[in-house]
Amino acid sequence: MVDYRYDNQTVKGFVISSIFWGVVGIVIGLWISVQLWLPSWNIAPYFTYGRLRVVHTNGLAYGLGIGAIFGISYYIVMRLTKRPLLFPKLARFHLYLFNAAIALAALSLFAGMNQSLEYAELEWPLDIGVVILWVIFAVNIFGTVIKRNEDQMYISLWYVLATVVAVAVLYIVNNLAIPAGWTKSYSVFAGVNSANVQWWYGHNAVGFIFTTPFLAMFYYFLPKSTGLPIFSHRLSIIAFWSLIFAYLWTGAHHLVYTPLPDWIQTLGIAFTIFLIAPSWGSVINGYYTVGSDWSKMQSNYLTKFFILGITFYGLQTVQGPTQGLRVVSQLIHYTDWVPGHVHMGTMGWVTMIAVASIYYIIPKIYHTEIHSVKIANIHFWLVLIGQLIFSITMWITGIMQGALWKATNADGSLKYTFMDVLSKNYPYWQMRTVGGVIFTIGMLFFIYNIIMTMRKGSLEPVGAKA
Amino acid sequence: MAGNLYNKPVLFAIVAAVVILIGTTVTMFIPMLTAEMHPKLANLKPYTALQLTGKDIYQREGCNNCHTQTVRPLKTEVMRYGEYSKAGEFTYDRPFLWGSKRTGPDLARIGGKYPDQWHEIHFDSPQSMYPDSNMPVYGWLKDNKLDPPSIEHHMKANDFPTTPGEIAELKAKTELDALVAYMQVIGTAVTGTK
């Protein structure tokens, strides 16, 4: 019962905030998925596809993703350093500032304040806010780790520290801009060079927001919830260093066949192929960890969230490098295949690991058990089915689009107009909405389960029982 | 030695930063210092105030979420859209607007392809021209007047040449005029450089 020293209020605050912004982001995701097959759902000026899509991506990457990263990293870091956060009041301020920033960010994107850099759309005043949030996070993480009561830093701490360092560099460089008023700026980088900077950032946002912090959670919560030690410490060392080394070379695989110099494209593609190895280092470590006792898949409801999550991570990190190859890229790039790929990562890997971590944390800090394992299982199957419908539908239509765009008649002329191909997408776009609705229903089961668990437990430890 | 690294967080963070900066330096910082990343076609001109405003509206409305602006050097793509994109066409784009998804068609060669009136009708109701189109309507842009002082500020931030006369003329224009003016200049610098 040393738990009382940990700042569970802040962790809880971030977890709830992250779920809240997750709901906002998912609802807008459903909305834009309908807009694609029902354009009358565009309500100008604030709720057109062009504005809502960035609210969707930013709301989920920053609101759900970063919110979960802040809260769950604090939770993990306190346990692995065997001490409370060094600056608990700063962490509380961090929580309030985070929510204020996300709310303002959403409003600014509805209003069309947009730098047009994917996953870095926010205009410069909000960029400064994001940097302040990150500095606060860094100060508390590094301070707490430096003043730790446990000599060795466990694998999860490596991933958290690497995340703090890498995101700082990526975010600041890519957002450098010349302000032209409070709501408008022009990038310091232009043309081909700006494309190279943006995708160096864009791909590493995937690497250091959607990968390393969630690997930190995976390496912490998988052994915690199964009671099984990580299979290989040595493998985790190799995988960690080769992952953070190789990721930074790969951004140009987003720019295959563009005017970016060929050598940068080729280098990016080559390192992308290499990246399969460290990614699968973690996949194998996860499989072999549970491999010592596969009955955990049945006896512990969280195990399947982690194992399916790492499986989608494994599939994602093979599919991604495949897409980078020129011969594949020329077919599927710019098609709906790509959202199919992205959503396997976000719905299959990131969300799966985040919800599993939250399922572990909430009963712990509320000194109780999960409200219902049965509801958690329903949640699991619904999000799994919803995500598979989404991704598989998009892969099918993506290949169709790519192939029809290239199709030629016997005389060499193009067989289909752009509109011919677009028309064929409608049933797939509708099916994608169905997948999204199923996924959303699954997430509602999750939220209900979490709320009920909070209701029956208490943040205060039951003194008499201790 | 490795053992030391995992109980020294500051050293660990420094080593991690160095590891991260190697790929960053080779693929991003070093190319930035070379001329091949800053090419400019001879025909390429800075945007006029009206065109720049159109580009700003294109960004505000998130057009780049559905339209790319880069034609790949692939046979059928050149047949569909026109001359493949050259590195020197984007010198005045801060940032580039190549996009990553073609829900709608590529626009890299849209400039001069249709008359202004075509665009006005199409923005007003894409479905009137293409019943199966899923593009949102943008006719409402013609109800929005331009704000010349802020546009002058935008021109200065980009270091584009302008005159008081050019800025004064903007008073009579709408956001739709600006967006159409931008449409008509996209990809036109490539003419004659084949």
Side-chain angles (χ1 to χ4, degrees), chain A residues 437-453:
Chain A
V437 168
I438 294 172
F439 180 88
T440 307
I441 294 170
M443 290 303 282
L444 293 176
F445 275 94
F446 163 70
I447 293 168
Y448 173 78
N449 213 359
I450 291 299
I451 291 173
M452 294 309 284
T453 307

Side-chain angles (χ1 to χ4, degrees), chain A residues 57-219:
Chain A
T57 54
N58 282 271
L60 290 173
Y62 292 95
L64 173 74
I66 301 273
I69 291 167
F70 284 158
I72 299 172
S73 298
Y74 280 152
Y75 179 94
I76 293 175
V77 166
M78 285 191 279
R79 267 85 192 161
L80 290 177
T81 57
K82 289 196 173 141
R83 57 157 299 137
L85 292 175
L86 189 59
F87 305 109
K89 284 192 180 129
L90 186 66
R92 191 61 62 85
F93 173 70
H94 190 208
L95 170 64
Y96 299 140
L97 190 65
F98 166 78
N99 280 297
I102 298 293
L104 279 175
L107 291 177
S108 77
L109 293 172
F110 282 128
M113 297 165 196
N114 183 340
Q115 296 187 126
S116 308
L117 295 168
E118 267 190 86
Y119 318 115
E121 280 92 353
L122 300 179
E123 269 297 349
W124 68 272
L126 280 159
D127 288 337
I128 293 173
V130 172
V131 171
I132 292 170
L133 279 169
W134 203 260
V135 169
I136 293 174
F137 182 56
V139 166
N140 235 333
I141 293 293
F142 271 99
T144 307
V145 172
I146 288 168
K147 298 277 182 192
R148 70 196 180 285
N149 292 321
E150 171 72 44
D151 185 43
Q152 284 294 311
M153 295 193 295
Y154 177 67
I155 308 165
S156 296
L157 287 184
W158 316 341
Y159 280 105
V160 172
L161 294 182
T163 303
V164 171
V165 172
V167 172
V169 176
L170 291 160
Y171 198 84
I172 290 172
V173 172
N174 192 46
N175 281 291
L176 292 175
I178 306 149
W182 285 99
T183 60
K184 179 73 191 161
S185 64
Y186 295 94
S187 174
V188 299
F189 310 112
V192 180
N193 188 43
S194 81
N196 195 37
V197 176
Q198 154 60 23
W199 284 112
W200 162 80
Y201 165 86
H203 192 69
N204 288 291
V206 177
F208 291 91
I209 293 175
F210 288 158
T211 305
T212 50
F214 291 90
L215 284 173
M217 296 177 205
F218 179 78
Y219 277 110

Side-chain angles (χ1 to χ4, degrees), chain A residues 37-49:
Chain A
W37 52 270
L38 206 58
S40 59
W41 278 41
N42 285 282
I43 304 167
Y46 301 110
F47 309 112
T48 55
Y49 181 89

Side-chain angles (χ1 to χ4, degrees), chain A residues 343-364:
Chain A
H343 285 81
M344 174 163 68
T346 51
M347 294 157 93
W349 153 246
V350 173
T351 311
M352 204 70 111
I353 298 301
V355 296
S357 305
I358 292 169
Y359 270 141
Y360 182 88
I361 290 173
I362 291 297
K364 274 272 179 220

Side-chain angles (χ1 to χ4, degrees), chain A residues 36 44 50-51 53 112 116 118 148 153 186 188 191 194 196 200 241 248 263 334 405-406 412 416 423 426, chain B residues 6-7 20 23-24 27 36 56 59-61 65 76 79-80 90 93-94 96 100 102 104 132 134 140:
Chain A
L36 281 176
R51 295 198 189 181
R53 192 247 173 185
S116 308
E118 267 190 86
R148 70 196 180 285
M153 295 193 295
Y186 295 94
V188 299
S194 81
N196 195 37
W200 162 80
W241 290 107
L248 281 296
W263 72 267
Y334 306 130
W405 286 343
K406 291 165 65 73
Y416 300 97
S423 311
Y426 282 105
Chain B
Y6 302 101
N7 57 21
I20 285 162
T24 300
T27 63
E36 71 173 341
D56 289 341
Q59 291 184 240
R60 184 187 74 194
E61 297 309 327
N65 286 300
T76 50
M79 286 165 67
R80 186 179 297 281
F90 308 99
D93 289 351
R94 295 179 177 273
F96 76 116
S100 59
R102 285 178 185 156
D132 278 350
N134 60 352
W140 53 276

Side-chain angles (χ1 to χ4, degrees), chain A residues 379-436:
Chain A
H379 158 210
F380 172 82
W381 288 107
L382 285 174
V383 297
L384 178 64
I385 293 165
Q387 178 248 313
L388 286 174
I389 292 175
F390 185 126
S391 293
I392 293 170
T393 316
M394 291 297 98
W395 295 330
I396 294 170
T397 192
I399 292 171
M400 180 189 72
Q401 278 170 292
L404 299 188
W405 286 343
K406 291 165 65 73
T408 50
N409 295 308
D411 66 354
S413 60
L414 292 172
K415 197 165 181 183
Y416 300 97
T417 66
F418 190 88
M419 206 36 85
D420 291 338
V421 182
L422 188 146
S423 311
K424 294 184 198 302
N425 267 325
Y426 282 105
Y428 298 95
W429 279 333
Q430 287 159 350
M431 199 63 201
R432 188 240 308 261
T433 303
V434 172

